[in-house]
Amino acid sequence: MSDYDVDLFVIGGGSGGVRAGRIAAQHGARVVLAEEYRVGGTCVIRGCVPKKLLVYASRFRAEFEDAAGYGWDVSHPVFDWPTLIANKDKEIARLEAAYTATLQRAGVTIVESRAVVVDPHTVQLADGKRVRARHILIATGAAPSYGDPIPGIEFAISSNEAFHLPQLPRHVLIQGGGYIAVEFAGIFSGLGAQVTLVYRGDNILRGFDDDVRTHLRMEIEKHGIRVLTGCKVAAIERKEARLSARLSSGNHVSTDCVLFAMGRPPNVGGIGLGQAGVEIAKNGGVAVDEYSRSSVASIYAIGDVTNRINLTPVAIREGHAFADTLFGGRPTAVDHANVPTAVFSDPEVGAVGLTEAEARARLARTDVYKSMFRPLKATLSGRDTAVLLKLVVDGSTDRVVGCHVVGEGAAEMVQLAAVAVKMGAAKADFDATMALHPTTAEELVTMRQKTGSYVREAAE
Ligand SMILES: Cc1cc2nc3c(=O)[nH]c(=O)nc-3n(C[C@H](O)[C@H](O)[C@H](O)COP(=O)(O)OP(=O)(O)OC[C@H]3O[C@@H](n4cnc5c(N)ncnc54)[C@H](O)[C@@H]3O)c2cc1C
């Protein structure tokens, strides 16, 4: 008789937890998974998927505007927010049911409850019931942050609530400069709201290539999004039916909705990690080794709660690797290098590998190839927009170490370019690849002129 009720207790039914639970069960483990909200987690319920559906909705505006140049008359399109939200909710409910069914088919027992760790082998559910587990997996994700408390913070919403607003606000004030803030700015603006984006740093999208940041800011400002950098929201007040936000610059913004998108700290609090002896890393997430094992041998952690790279495919890969390592007899460490990423703004951003600044700091020699032009699609419509494509190359080896694109289809382009970057393709391989014409992506294999070549200064 085993001392344990289960082989694996998974806390959290999001991207990482669902994958880990399913694969562990398929390897023959007895698995229980606890989810306190809805199976599917952030990505499916209030992240990537509903966001992308809203992004699709918001892009019709530009298509309608462009249509005239192509001979179409769509002069009076009407948008209905409640219809979009109802249809989105239906699709999310379908996905949630599909995730639940997949887990159950694999033999995972799902418990609809909050779960907390009591000791290295015990988990307690909301009703007080305790489960003894040989291994515990922490997959509790991350949650929106409102930053330091300010007067009137109760009037602000996070991305969670943005998916359920009863109506489309006429004006939205968004605080934040990361991808979620920028994406919601594009969504609301595309759907017809006026948008002000407030960010305390000097430019949006910290961590992305500087040319990408400058280019995207210029593009979204052309679309009418007001970007205010170097300041933050200091207070929010209700003024009759509207809100008034006082900024640290002293300016006031009158708005219908204040959305804070200021990062997502890992969900490590209130789940018993301290009492079980689980260490928290400097980045605020659960400290883990390359196999996602925490400082307690029986407890593992994957996904956003470890604050490594907070993206769905990474959480899924970590969950899968964890299950293969522990229950499949195949120790698997996840390779976190060259993870492609996107910002579903309008225009879109896709990026993989090193930024120019990172390359110049790390490599002896860095070559840069850059191209900016009006896309063919915008010629007949007269739309004022430009595409940016950039390759960052190791000048000593000719290896392409970074690929950055801003423009329609950027995410789709970069997913494929990421294969080449991951394989270690050289710039000469890109050059030897025949162009596919007429496309925007062909520029990635036809850029011949370096726009910059830099030698790293020797350290003193
Ligand atoms: C608005 C938004 C847009 C995003 N867009 C993208 C995108 O385009 N591409 C991309 O790759 N990523 C995107 N992300 C990030 C992505 O959603 C996360 O990286 C991913 O969901 C992480 O998976 P996870 O399993 O670690 O955590 P989650 O998916 O957050 O799952 C954690 C689950 O644990 C549950 N939980 C927490 N504590 C407990 C407890 N004590 N007991 C029981 N259950 C608990 C939560 O309810 C949740 O369901 C987006 C996120 C947001 C917020």
Side-chain angles (χ1 to χ4, degrees), residues 257-303:
C257 174
V258 178
L259 166 58
F260 275 28
M262 299 169 59
R264 295 173 47 82
N267 279 329
V268 292
I271 52 171
L273 297 181
Q275 72 196 31
V278 174
E279 273 173 28
I280 302 300
K282 279 207 192 85
N283 69 9
V286 175
V288 288
D289 68 12
E290 77 243 64
Y291 297 105
S292 297
R293 186 191 284 239
S294 80
S295 55
V296 176
S298 57
I299 301 182
Y300 288 69
I302 51 156

Side-chain angles (χ1 to χ4, degrees), residues 10-18 34-49 51-52 111 113-116 139-142 144 159-160 163 179-180 183-184 264 267 270-271 302-305 309-316 342 344:
V10 182
I11 305 183
S15 307
V18 165
E35 169 53 55
E36 67 176 347
Y37 181 55
R38 292 175 67 180
V39 171
T42 303
C43 175
V44 174
I45 309 296
R46 44 198 184 183
C48 336
V49 176
K51 175 210 56 199
K52 190 82 188 276
V111 187
S113 167
R114 183 169 175 78
V116 297
T140 50
S159 58
N160 287 351
F163 289 115
Y179 78 94
I180 294 176
E183 288 175 340
F184 271 102
R264 295 173 47 82
N267 279 329
I271 52 171
I302 51 156
D304 285 8
V305 76
I309 297 178
N310 297 342
L311 292 171
T312 283
V314 179
I316 290 173
F344 294 101

